Every structure is written in structure tokens, then in C-alpha cells.
Amino acid sequence: MAKKATTAGQTTGKRGLKPINLALQGGGAHGAFAWGVLDRLLEEECFEIEGIVGTSAGAMNAAVVAYGIAHGGQPGGRKALEEFWRRISEAARSGPLQPTFWDKLFRPGTGSLDYSPGYIMTEAMSRLLSPYQLNPGNLNPLRDVLASVVDCEFMHTENKVKLFICAANVLTGRIKVFDRTELSIDAILASACLPFMFQAVEVGGQYYWDGGYMGNPPLYPLIYNCDCRDILIVQLNPINIPEVPRTAQAILDRINTLSFNSSLMREMRAINFVTRLIDNGFDDGGRLKRMLIHTIDAEEKLNRLGVSSKLNAEWDFLLDLRETGRQKAEEFLDQHYDKVGRETSTDVEKKFM
């Protein structure tokens, strides 16, 4: 059997091409973990991506990789992702996302900024003053980064990958899913608009905040709009934690992950319910669709990082997360590739119920 080398010097058997859909969670700089997952899967070239849905950092990864694939195939997707994350790190060096000297001094080598003077000051200011007061010019360094990597006009007519970006409508409380034909830099920024950091993003006369409040990520766009039944969810927010939070920061961290996981947990319950109906012989005249669910996460590592580390755009930190993502993707390929297209590889009830 032909062998294919990886960047880590390993070799794997050449795998055949299978269709798959991707669902990418949001999580700030932790999105570099998803970068690593995508990088390894694209390197293997064993999946043909039919659809991608993403929220917040997941929306950025989704838009960038969809554009890269449309422009240059799977190698183009890898190239676009690396360029995007490198530009993120460069833009943050002089911006508010970059850890200060004191951050590194108080929490060296952890990637987390918890309890550091810089983080505490930022946290306190955001609770006293809104972004309309702190940032009246509504400056967002992500805008220039995205515009330099993604050509939204090109994507309006390109249909190699079905793309869906999730945001939360501030005024109506409804979820908004932008598809490929609606893609814009504003739509991507809307999906990643943390309300304590940035002003609500206006798109088409409506105002949006981070999509994680409504769907992180929503799966229904893939279920309704894609023929492929397989969905691979790349998770950034831990579902399980090892102990009860006892410090103020740990409690806030857990509230954050519970909030941003809640919509996914509910949707997985619905998918499990439909699966049980089908298993019991009821498919509503063929209208019910059996979905095959797969997941990649790094709970054991991301659990050790506080939510504040989602603001850490140091290049070494991002590269470390990318390498973890590559390793987890390699494990998924070794253990579950053969199940794609045939069966669910994740114990949905154990993981989500």
C-alpha cells in the first residue's frame, strides 16, 4: 500500500476519498486547535468537504478554509489557514489581545492569562465601560486580517464548499446563518462579535453578536442543505471538567463554556432522538435522516487553559495548539476513518446526554 508522509515525519496508509461535513466551534485563540485538525485532514486528502458550518473563531476558520479550497484545492486550504493565523498573531503584537510582560511573568508558559494584572484590568474595564465608550471608533484588527485572506466576492459564485456562518441577532434573539452567497467580512465579524469587546456588527440593517450564544455551531444547516450524512464536530469548549469550580475566575470560565455548549447539547439530543426513532422503524416516510456523528476534541488540554487564554495570540501558543489539533486528527484517522460513511464514531448518549 502506498504511504504518505506527514509533516511530523510519520507515515500513514493512503486513504480513499470520502465525503464529509465539518462543524467548527468558536473559542477565540483556541481556534488554532481546529486549525491543526483541519491542517492534518487536508494534508491527508482523504475527505471531500461538502459543507462547513462555523461560529466565531470557527466561522473564521470555516471561511478561510472554504476560500482556500475554492482557490487552490486542499493544499490551498492549508496555505490559507496558516496565513490567516500568522496574520492574527502579527496583528495582536501591538493590540489588546497580546499578553503583556506582566502576564508572562505571573503565568509563564501556561498560555493562560488568569489572574494576571493585564487580564484583570481588561476584565474590570469591560464591566465598567462598554465598547461604545472604550472603542468609539469601533476599530477591529480582525477586519483587515480577514480582508487580506478571504475574497468574499469570489466566494459568492464559487460552490466547491457549502459555507454557513452563524451569528446571533441582538434585537430579535434569533439565530442568523449566512450562507456562501451572503458572505462578507461583516458577516464573519458578526459571528465573532463578543459584546464586551466590540460594538454590535450591522449587516443588512440588523445587528449581531457572537453566534456562540445561539449555535456553537448549529448543525441544522448541514442536515438540511447537504447530501452527506457525516458531520465531524471540532470542539473547543470542554463539556466535562474534573472538579467543581471554586474561584471567581474558574466559576466565570465554567459559565462561559456551559453557555457556549448549550445549543450544541440541545441539538445533539434532537439528533439522538431522531436516530432512535429510525432505529425503531419509524422514518416518517423517508423524511427523517440518519446523521452520522464524529467528534474531535482536546478536553484534557483545553480544560487546563482558562477562558482568558482565548485572547492569547502569541505565535508559539498558537503553534502548540495547532500541533495538538494535528495529533488529535491523526488519532481520529487511525481509529475512526473506516467508520465515516458507515456509522457514528462518537457515543452520542455518553458524550452529550
Side-chain angles (χ1 to χ4, degrees):
M1 179 180 292
K3 295 288 184 179
K4 184 172 183 175
T6 73
T7 56
Q10 301 170 310
T11 58
T12 61
K14 178 65 176 177
R15 300 176 173 95
L17 194 65
K18 293 183 178 183
I20 201 166
N21 295 310
L22 300 176
L24 309 179
Q25 269 199 333
H30 293 184
F33 168 76
W35 166 28
V37 171
L38 295 170
D39 186 68
R40 181 64 190 97
L41 297 182
L42 293 173
E43 179 184 52
E44 187 70 14
E45 296 188 8
C46 61
F47 293 124
E48 182 177 10
I49 302 170
E50 181 182 1
I52 307 178
V53 62
T55 295
S56 198
M60 296 184 190
N61 276 328
V64 169
V65 76
Y67 172 73
I69 291 173
H71 202 264
Q74 299 203 24
R78 296 182 68 198
K79 180 179 178 181
L81 282 168
E82 179 164 3
E83 180 181 0
F84 169 73
W85 283 100
R86 187 178 294 278
R87 287 178 181 266
I88 284 287
S89 184
E90 290 171 352
R93 286 177 186 169
S94 59
L97 303 187
Q98 181 65 10
T100 66
F101 167 82
W102 295 105
D103 293 326
K104 299 175 187 177
L105 179 65
F106 275 71
R107 295 297 298 274
T110 65
S112 177
L113 313 183
D114 295 344
Y115 314 117
S116 70
Y119 177 72
I120 292 173
M121 182 179 295
T122 301
E123 179 78 3
M125 289 292 287
S126 70
R127 297 189 181 280
L128 291 172
L129 300 172
S130 82
Y132 296 86
Q133 298 165 304
L134 289 171
N135 184 13
N138 201 22
L139 300 178
N140 190 333
L142 295 174
R143 180 179 296 279
D144 289 340
V145 172
L146 286 166
S148 70
V149 179
V150 179
D151 184 343
C152 294
E153 292 294 328
F154 173 81
M155 291 298 292
H156 291 170
T157 57
E158 178 54 56
N159 60 3
K160 284 188 180 179
V161 177
K162 297 173 183 176
L163 176 64
F164 307 97
I165 302 298
C166 170
N169 190 307
V170 179
L171 300 180
T172 68
R174 294 185 174 91
I175 189 171
K176 168 64 178 178
V177 177
F178 299 94
D179 64 22
R180 173 183 53 80
T181 65
E182 301 172 294
L183 186 66
S184 66
I185 300 301
D186 281 337
I188 303 172
L189 291 176
S191 181
C193 178
L194 292 172
F196 292 109
M197 293 185 66
F198 301 110
Q199 298 180 24
V201 178
E202 181 183 0
V203 183
Q206 295 294 316
Y207 292 86
Y208 299 97
W209 280 342
D210 194 295
Y213 296 108
M214 303 298 295
N216 193 23
L219 304 183
Y220 72 86
L222 301 175
I223 297 173
Y224 294 155
N225 296 288
C226 296
D227 294 325
C228 176
R229 298 184 302 156
D230 291 87
I231 297 178
L232 172 58
I233 305 169
V234 183
Q235 291 179 250
L236 302 184
N237 297 293
I239 293 176
N240 302 293
I241 60 174
E243 59 187 12
V244 174
R246 298 186 184 278
T247 67
Q249 189 59 52
I251 291 169
L252 288 173
D253 285 358
R254 188 52 176 164
I255 290 172
N256 180 286
T257 56
L258 287 174
S259 173
F260 279 3
N261 275 333
S262 61
S263 59
L264 177 63
M265 301 288 280
R266 289 194 298 270
E267 211 164 2
M268 291 307 303
R269 285 182 178 275
I271 288 174
N272 187 61
F273 176 72
V274 170
T275 299
R276 291 171 62 185
L277 287 178
I278 295 173
D279 287 344
N280 289 329
F282 177 75
D283 65 358
D284 196 21
R287 285 185 288 271
L288 297 184
K289 183 178 181 181
R290 180 190 298 275
M291 302 307 298
L292 307 180
I293 303 299
H294 317 278
T295 55
I296 297 179
D297 64 61
E299 284 202 350
E300 70 282 1
K301 177 165 186 169
L302 297 183
N303 255 330
R304 298 195 298 268
L305 300 176
V307 169
S308 58
S309 68
K310 294 179 179 181
L311 302 181
N312 185 356
E314 288 185 299
W315 185 238
D316 287 345
F317 179 59
L318 300 180
L319 288 180
D320 181 64
L321 288 174
R322 183 189 70 168
E323 184 56 32
T324 300
R326 284 183 55 84
Q327 292 170 3
K328 291 297 182 179
E330 185 71 37
E331 293 174 10
F332 175 81
L333 290 172
D334 290 342
Q335 299 172 15
H336 302 303
Y337 167 80
D338 290 339
K339 297 176 183 177
V340 176
R342 297 169 45 200
E343 60 182 293
T344 288
S345 64
T346 295
D347 187 333
V348 172
E349 291 196 6
K350 181 178 180 180
K351 189 177 184 70
F352 294 103
M353 301 297 104

